[in-house]
Amino acid sequence: MTNQASPASDNKQRLEKLILAQHRVISISTLEEEEALQVVRDTALERGLEMWLWSMSKGIRDGLLVDGPCVPDTDHPAAAMFHWMSQEKGGMCVMLDVAGHLKDERTLRLMRDLIAKFEKEGSYLILIDSQGELPPAVQSRSTVFELSLPDEKRLEIIIRDALRARNEISRVQVELSRKGLQTIIKNLRGLSARQARQVVLDSVSEDNRFDISDINKILAGKRKMLQGMALLEFIQSPVDLTQIGGLVNLKQWLTERQDALSDEAAAYGLSGPRGVLMLGVQGAGKSLSAKAVATAWQRPLLRMDVGALYDKYIGESERRLRDALHQAEAMSPIVLWIDEIEKAFASAAAQSSDGGLSKRMFGSLLTWMQEHDSGVFLVATANDIEALPPELLRKGRFDEIFFVDLPGLEARKDIFAIHLRMRKRDPQKFDLAGLAAAADGFSGAEIEQAIISALHQAYAQKSELNNSLILKAMEQSPPLSVTMAEKVQALRDWASGRCLGAG
């Protein structure tokens, strides 16, 4: 495999098709400006076209030269367009970050005139912007071009090139099986070529080693690279399943299906799991279940901010949902978590009071769930069964519907031990069996809060945490299963025979 393969080759082929089809104005919205420029340069060279590049900092210059001379007095976009208007056939003219300048009426008028000239004479205008929408008069005449992210073959080349470059500075020890390499490659998906290379270099910078243990560094790096997304939020999940108490059946289910995500399983005829629905008592561990999936399969966990989807403008909410799902697919393999899904699409299960928006949004989600073939595993959690649209519970929507009940005796012992260790206490110094028995009816979240409350009291008394303080904290704060006993029992009755217990 040659290390000279260009990660922009697929993009170049698609841009060439637009040029051959005579799309005269092409809009590229991206933060990866250098990659976009390289694609345009490669296309111009392939087609034998001149390329002129404008930026506000340098004005117009030859885009095919590394550091060519600039055309004087063309740093303002209006001046640049006036210059091109006075020239004969211009080949490919590229403008960087011009969208914001088009709020000026004169500049917008000049661009409209330039577009008309280029359409008549056969030149091309390429607009590369980091952000900002084009005015309707320009947008209607332009074709949107999206840079595709590196696929798995290109990511492998990027990894090898990055390690080779690092090895020239300081020797890198690589100990990675083919399966381990594939795991790392899958978790780099969703990053640009530049971002993937940087994440790999960051993972080897401290110890000059590259092995499967670097997967956590890579996931952390990916989170950092993509943390600016508004609709999808990265959620930190535990390092391993020993940090999650209970959920025995869910853990077994995840273990059995872990290898179903491999290429070997696909060749065997298995399709990868698509998602689970978590129903249960509030605070019993549904959120923890979502984290358990991400931990077991070593996938990033992203939570969809459903509140950010809804917008007052017609059509905008549906677009945001499509964008969020598109982002999730681009970043796959991931675990996508929709928390309290019944609240997200509350009006979809009843007579709509929002003009049918919730039903349209819910219909779009169901269609995506049915048809998507990306490596996105959906975890939906819900507290209120009655608010769930019946279509969501139909067989085939999810691989399994789990009921997350209050933890049993052994699970409560594990939960006490985990939270004591998290707070630098030795669980063996506590009567875990007695605490677990006293915590009958408590959720995992309520057990954690009891320990925190007892810690506060111990700190105030200048004493050490002990069993008595934890027991006292539990006595002072009765669990939800007591204060809402009827609702909890109704939930259990409904789940009986309909769901698989997660515990």
Side-chain angles (χ1 to χ4, degrees):
M1 183 180 293
T2 175
N3 67 336
Q4 297 300 316
S6 169
S9 58
D10 172 63
N11 289 317
K12 183 175 76 71
Q13 291 173 4
R14 292 190 298 112
L15 184 59
E16 279 189 48
K17 288 181 180 179
L18 293 182
I19 298 298
L20 287 171
Q22 299 182 1
H23 291 261
R24 299 300 177 187
V25 185
I26 298 172
S27 170
I28 306 176
S29 179
T30 180
L31 296 176
E32 303 299 326
E33 183 179 283
E34 284 302 320
E35 185 175 345
L37 280 173
Q38 189 59 52
V39 172
V40 176
R41 285 193 187 100
D42 291 345
T43 304
L45 289 169
E46 184 73 23
R47 307 307 307 168
L49 298 171
E50 290 184 333
M51 175 184 166
W52 297 98
L53 175 63
W54 174 86
S55 67
M56 189 171 64
S57 60
K58 296 183 178 179
I60 295 175
R61 58 191 172 93
D62 191 332
L64 297 179
L65 299 179
V66 175
D67 194 19
C70 303
V71 178
D73 301 320
T74 58
D75 53 332
H76 193 282
M81 287 185 277
F82 185 81
H83 174 83
W84 282 328
M85 287 286 291
S86 65
Q87 302 295 307
E88 295 184 3
K89 193 171 183 178
M92 297 176 70
C93 296
V94 182
M95 303 192 79
L96 303 179
D97 293 327
V98 75
H101 297 280
L102 298 179
K103 295 175 183 178
D104 175 67
E105 293 182 2
R106 181 186 177 208
T107 306
L108 176 59
R109 181 68 260 174
L110 274 167
M111 176 163 282
R112 295 181 68 181
D113 292 343
L114 184 67
I115 290 172
K117 178 180 187 292
F118 278 15
E119 288 177 339
K120 182 178 179 180
E121 70 179 22
S123 299
Y124 298 92
L125 180 62
I126 314 293
L127 307 175
I128 301 177
D129 278 89
S130 60
Q131 58 185 354
E133 293 186 0
L134 297 171
V138 177
Q139 191 175 50
S140 64
R141 307 290 284 273
S142 64
T143 300
V144 175
F145 180 82
E146 292 186 2
L147 292 176
S148 62
L149 295 168
D151 59 16
E152 293 186 8
K153 289 183 179 179
R154 287 160 60 193
L155 284 170
E156 182 170 348
I157 295 172
I158 291 166
I159 291 172
R160 294 183 186 278
D161 286 350
L163 293 176
R164 195 172 288 119
R166 175 66 186 181
N167 197 62
E168 292 179 1
I169 300 172
S170 180
R171 183 171 178 80
V172 177
Q173 185 176 355
V174 180
E175 295 183 4
L176 203 61
S177 66
R178 185 66 194 177
K179 184 176 180 180
L181 177 61
Q182 287 300 317
T183 299
I184 287 176
I185 289 172
K186 287 181 183 295
N187 281 285
L188 284 172
R189 286 192 59 183
L191 296 176
S192 68
R194 177 188 61 82
Q195 290 172 327
R197 182 178 186 276
Q198 190 60 60
V199 167
V200 171
L201 290 175
D202 288 344
S203 70
V204 301
S205 62
E206 292 183 6
D207 56 6
N208 284 327
R209 288 177 57 86
F210 193 65
D211 54 36
I212 193 59
S213 67
D214 286 314
I215 188 67
N216 290 325
K217 295 179 183 177
I218 286 170
L219 290 177
K222 186 173 182 178
R223 279 195 294 272
K224 185 177 180 180
M225 289 287 184
L226 299 170
Q227 64 186 357
M229 294 178 304
L231 300 175
L232 299 179
E233 175 192 4
F234 270 107
I235 302 297
Q236 186 74 40
S237 55
V239 175
D240 59 68
L241 289 178
T242 61
Q243 297 183 32
I244 299 174
L247 305 177
V248 176
N249 292 336
L250 174 63
K251 290 177 181 177
Q252 181 179 352
W253 190 91
L254 293 172
T255 301
E256 290 174 353
R257 284 156 181 78
Q258 184 168 7
D259 290 337
L261 305 167
S262 64
D263 295 335
E264 292 82 358
Y268 185 74
L270 277 175
S271 56
R274 300 167 67 85
V276 292
L277 175 62
M278 299 285 180
L279 305 174
V281 180
Q282 187 171 349
K286 296 184 298 299
S287 299
L288 199 61
S289 299
K291 295 178 181 180
V293 178
T295 298
W297 291 349
Q298 291 186 319
R299 289 189 179 189
L301 176 63
L302 284 87
R303 180 169 57 196
M304 182 186 291
D305 183 358
V306 180
L309 294 179
Y310 287 88
D311 191 274
K312 61 182 178 180
Y313 296 107
I314 295 175
E316 185 66 15
S317 299
E318 293 95 324
R319 184 190 67 79
R320 289 185 177 183
L321 177 60
R322 289 194 301 270
D323 286 349
L325 296 175
H326 178 71
Q327 283 179 352
E329 289 180 338
M331 295 172 61
S332 63
I334 64 164
V335 176
L336 178 61
W337 174 23
I338 303 180
D339 194 20
E340 296 187 337
I341 193 171
E342 75 277 20
K343 291 182 180 178
F345 305 99
S347 299
Q351 188 64 34
S352 177
S353 60
D354 57 9
L357 175 60
S358 292
K359 287 188 177 181
R360 293 195 303 273
M361 297 272 283
F362 183 65
S364 297
L365 178 65
L366 289 182
T367 301
W368 176 82
M369 288 172 61
Q370 198 72 28
E371 297 179 356
H372 84 91
D373 58 359
S374 59
V376 179
F377 186 84
L378 178 64
V379 178
T381 61
N383 295 322
D384 189 354
I385 296 166
E386 294 179 358
L388 285 175
E391 303 95 313
L392 194 66
L393 300 173
R394 183 174 67 79
K395 289 291 184 182
R397 298 291 188 200
F398 294 97
D399 295 288
E400 191 60 77
I401 300 177
F402 283 97
F403 178 69
V404 185
D405 203 347
L406 296 171
L409 181 64
E410 290 302 315
R412 293 197 298 273
K413 286 173 64 176
D414 290 342
I415 293 168
F416 271 109
I418 289 169
H419 286 295
L420 287 168
R421 274 194 297 269
M422 286 174 61
R423 288 154 183 88
K424 302 177 182 179
R425 299 303 190 278
D426 183 0
Q428 294 184 355
K429 295 181 178 180
F430 294 81
D431 179 13
L432 295 181
L435 290 171
D440 186 22
F442 279 70
S443 68
E446 289 166 336
I447 289 174
E448 181 182 13
Q449 287 305 311
I451 292 175
I452 292 172
S453 178
L455 269 171
H456 277 292
Q457 190 170 357
Y459 185 76
Q461 296 175 354
K462 308 297 183 191
S463 63
E464 184 49 59
L465 182 67
N466 56 49
N467 273 59
S468 299
L469 290 174
I470 298 175
L471 289 170
K472 183 180 179 181
M474 288 192 293
E475 290 172 2
Q476 292 175 343
S477 181
L480 191 68
S481 61
V482 173
T483 57
M484 299 184 67
E486 295 81 6
K487 189 171 183 178
V488 170
Q489 189 56 49
L491 199 58
R492 287 171 171 165
D493 292 341
W494 184 93
S496 179
R498 290 187 174 96
C499 308
L500 178 64

